Amino acid sequence: AAAESAPAIVVGSGYGGAVAALRLGQAGIRTLVLEMGRLWDTAGPDGTVFCSTSAPDRRSMWFRTRTEAPLATFLWLDLVNKDISPYPGVLDRVHYDHMSVYVGRGVGGGSLVNGGMAVTPLKSYFAEQFPTVDADEMYGTYFPRARSMLGVNTVDPAWFESTDWYRFTRTSRKAAADAGLRTTFVPNVYDFGYMQREAAGTATRSALAGEVIYGNNHGKRSLDKSYLAAALGTGNVTLHTLERVRSLSRAADGSYLLTADRIDTTGAIVETKQYGCRYLFLGGGSLGTTELLVRARDTGTLPDLDPAVGAGWGPNGNTMLGRANHVWDTVGADQATMPVMGIDDWANADNPVFAEIAPLPMGFEHWISLYLAITKNPERASFTYDPASGTVRLGWTAAQSAVSSGMAKKLFDRINLANLTLYRYDLFGSTSKVFADDFTYHPLGGCVLGKATDDYGRVKGYSRLYVTDGSLVPGNIGVNPFVTITALAERTMARVLAEDAAP
Ligand code: FDA
């Protein structure tokens, strides 16, 4: 029996979880949010909530003895990573056989660590990926609602053209233009007014101090400052942190039972708790939600889940790479960490790629242009439960990653040819590695809308069980995903609250 119960429980406090919590709270439904990470609201001994990227400490990563930054090396020297002591830090890197996945841990999920790029996908590609969703309604109602709640804004173009902090972006834009490629500004949830004050010396630096993957101490409108603040403000939402939901099942009366481990800051389990609820919303992200459901189906605690649970996963075609510019094409010692521009070659039917121009703030001139390419890689993989080890595995292969890097290479070969420039070979650990296609920031799918769920995120086989996060997106969305995840969650909540509420 459940020791503690609530009408509604939300697992996870990223985009999907935060939207669910707010809309439930506003509807007057008492809601409990269970989040495995900590609440990031208290300053450490250095006076800041998050640690810096240049001197990471235990706050940087989720129970590690050494940081695992995406850019492992520079000139093959392991300059970037540092030894740390284990702690529930804000960034996790989950390792599967041939793919590792970066995710945020804490109240706010990925919003605490991400680059803030708030991109709405092309309507035509959205419609291709979600054929059963009314695209007009999405673009007329739910995307605008998501953008306004998230606090999306754009960099002032005049400031962008003049500031040293975006010289790296202008240099990459020029290299793209020389190859006849189009670039486009991308919006962000980082407050650009704040950033201009940072540059003017009137506000404490955050994006201009290298902060991003281990958290921003200022400027960024992460979910704890938007959706989650509003959710708690309804008075109906309670949040439990450092509680990891381990398993799901259903009681005879049709309510859901959850088992959660409460951990302390050493990672030790200090209590195992039982929760009960009538309505269960899963917002643990592509990995968290899919793992819970695959485990529940295959261990028999929710045996009627659809065979499509676990399928349709992809890394959004992510590939990271660096190019070396000519000495006269400087990128600047000063670089803002919030990307504001992408190379948009998605319309190229032979090789669709959207490549964001990424910063590499090292505090000195290094002539490197860094990119995160999002490619239209059609490959998908499945999560499966391995009874021998009791773990959930991801079947993604290196050959599937090679499809992403092959597409990125086609685009950047064009740029290098037009500019007579070369790739950088020293950024990702081994001497020959140009394309980092073995990690992703954008895990998508596993519980795909219309396949493992109905067209609104109601999980097939069970009533009052919902998915609201990135696991609904079928492996690729062509742009950075959180605006899409947020808008789909808004659509699910509007429908569920109108149709499924208790009599
Ligand atoms: P999300 O991962 O945000 O939240 C899931 C939450 O559930 C986490 O807080 C997790 O701890 C918790 N959880 C999981 N399992 C649990 C369990 N069993 N029990 C309790 N809690 C559990 N996107 C974008 O659009 N623009 C960008 O610029 C970037 N940049 C970027 C940089 C980096 C470094 C990363 C890691 C990611 C990005 N992203 C991004 C991706 C974006 O952050 C991501 O798509 C969303 O955070 C996914 O939102 P979800 O709601 O699906 O899960």
Side-chain angles (χ1 to χ4, degrees):
E4 204 174 321
S5 66
I9 288 183
V10 176
V11 178
S13 62
Y15 294 90
V19 173
L22 171 61
R23 301 307 175 195
L24 288 163
Q26 284 179 329
I29 299 168
R30 202 158 52 75
T31 302
L32 178 60
V33 180
L34 303 176
E35 166 58 52
M36 65 193 273
R38 56 162 279 201
L39 177 64
W40 291 92
D41 67 340
T42 316
D46 59 355
T48 64
V49 172
F50 297 106
C51 65
S52 78
T53 25
S54 53
D57 60 30
R58 65 179 196 165
R59 290 169 290 180
S60 61
M61 291 201 71
W62 182 256
F63 297 109
R64 286 297 195 290
T65 53
R66 190 166 174 80
T67 60
E68 295 182 31
L71 241 71
T73 62
F74 178 71
L75 297 172
W76 298 289
L77 301 170
D78 188 355
L79 296 173
V80 178
N81 286 311
K82 303 274 187 317
D83 289 337
I84 53 172
S85 54
Y87 184 78
V90 72
L91 182 67
D92 198 359
R93 183 173 186 167
V94 179
H95 294 272
Y96 296 102
D97 289 346
H98 299 285
M99 174 55 66
S100 65
V101 183
Y102 282 100
V103 290
R105 297 274 180 236
V107 175
S111 77
L112 298 168
V113 298
N114 67 32
M117 275 173 287
V119 197
T120 303
L122 264 183
K123 192 173 179 183
S124 56
Y125 189 53
F126 178 88
E128 191 179 318
Q129 291 296 66
F130 293 101
T132 62
V133 175
D134 180 347
D136 289 338
E137 192 189 22
M138 281 298 291
Y139 284 74
T141 303
Y142 299 114
F143 275 118
R145 184 175 297 173
R147 286 192 298 260
S148 111
M149 277 299 300
L150 291 167
V152 175
N153 69 155
T154 45
V155 68
D156 171 26
W159 185 70
F160 167 82
E161 296 298 344
S162 62
T163 180
D164 274 349
W165 296 98
Y166 282 111
R167 177 184 299 275
F168 73 99
T169 305
R170 298 193 300 270
T171 295
S172 288
R173 176 179 63 183
K174 174 171 159 288
D178 287 347
L181 289 159
R182 198 175 86 88
T183 48
T184 175
F185 278 110
V186 295
N188 203 293
V189 296
Y190 196 89
D191 178 346
F192 286 109
Y194 187 86
M195 189 187 285
Q196 286 191 233
R197 293 196 291 282
E198 291 177 58
T202 57
T204 309
R205 284 181 177 179
S206 180
L208 303 193
E211 292 182 351
V212 58
I213 59 170
Y214 302 140
N216 279 92
N217 284 299
H218 306 278
K220 197 207 257 178
R221 299 168 179 132
S222 46
L223 289 167
D224 49 329
K225 301 182 177 71
S226 59
Y227 272 99
L228 292 167
L232 295 175
T234 66
N236 294 316
V237 177
T238 312
L239 187 65
H240 289 189
T241 58
L242 297 175
E243 294 194 11
R244 179 182 196 151
V245 177
R246 189 196 329 148
S247 63
L248 311 174
S249 62
R250 206 172 200 199
D253 68 353
S255 64
Y256 290 95
L257 297 174
L258 297 81
T259 305
D261 293 323
R262 186 164 67 82
I263 59 169
D264 65 15
T265 57
T266 72
I269 296 172
V270 289
E271 187 184 359
T272 295
K273 300 171 89 168
Q274 307 292 332
Y275 289 102
C277 62
R278 197 163 155 73
Y279 295 87
L280 178 56
F281 293 83
L282 299 179
S286 168
L287 306 187
T289 290
T290 308
E291 171 160 351
L292 279 172
L293 290 177
V294 166
R295 192 183 289 279
R297 182 189 59 203
D298 295 354
T299 60
T301 61
L302 294 177
D304 297 334
L305 288 170
D306 197 88
V309 166
W313 188 88
N316 209 19
N318 276 192
T319 301
M320 200 165 228
L321 66 131
R323 285 177 46 254
N325 289 292
H326 297 292
V327 283
W328 54 88
D329 282 327
T330 53
V331 294
D334 292 337
Q335 302 195 6
T337 55
M338 297 295 140
V340 292
M341 191 167 273
I343 301 169
D344 187 358
D345 202 30
W346 199 259
N348 176 359
D350 292 335
N351 195 57
V353 179
F354 177 82
E356 86 195 32
I357 297 169
L360 181 52
M362 301 203 48
F364 52 86
E365 177 61 53
H366 51 57
W367 293 278
I368 299 171
S369 282
L370 189 71
Y371 305 90
L372 179 69
I374 296 170
T375 64
K376 194 178 176 180
N377 182 342
E379 296 288 324
R380 301 291 177 262
S382 292
F383 291 90
T384 50
Y385 179 69
D386 173 31
S389 61
T391 57
V392 172
R393 315 181 78 135
L394 176 62
W396 185 264
T397 65
Q400 292 180 299
S401 284
V403 175
S404 301
S405 48
M407 295 179 77
K409 182 174 188 307
K410 271 195 189 167
L411 177 72
F412 285 94
D413 280 356
R414 277 170 69 189
I415 295 178
N416 278 336
L417 187 67
N419 291 275
L420 300 175
T421 50
L422 297 171
Y423 292 108
R424 289 289 294 228
Y425 292 82
D426 57 335
L427 300 176
F428 303 109
S430 76
T431 50
S432 57
K433 194 156 178 184
V434 175
F435 300 99
D437 59 9
D438 54 353
F439 69 79
T440 183
Y441 295 139
H442 301 164
L444 295 172
C447 205
V448 172
L449 191 84
K451 300 226 161 72
T453 73
D454 78 351
D455 289 335
Y456 291 90
R458 299 175 176 108
V459 176
K460 286 184 184 171
Y462 292 89
S463 53
R464 304 186 316 279
L465 174 61
Y466 312 92
V467 171
T468 60
D469 58 27
S471 34
L472 295 172
V473 182
N476 192 293
I477 193 61
V479 291
N480 317 66
F482 74 62
V483 171
T484 303
I485 294 168
T486 305
L488 283 172
E490 288 283 18
R491 174 177 173 275
T492 290
M493 294 313 295
R495 175 61 63 125
V496 165
L497 287 166
E499 289 186 350
D500 298 12

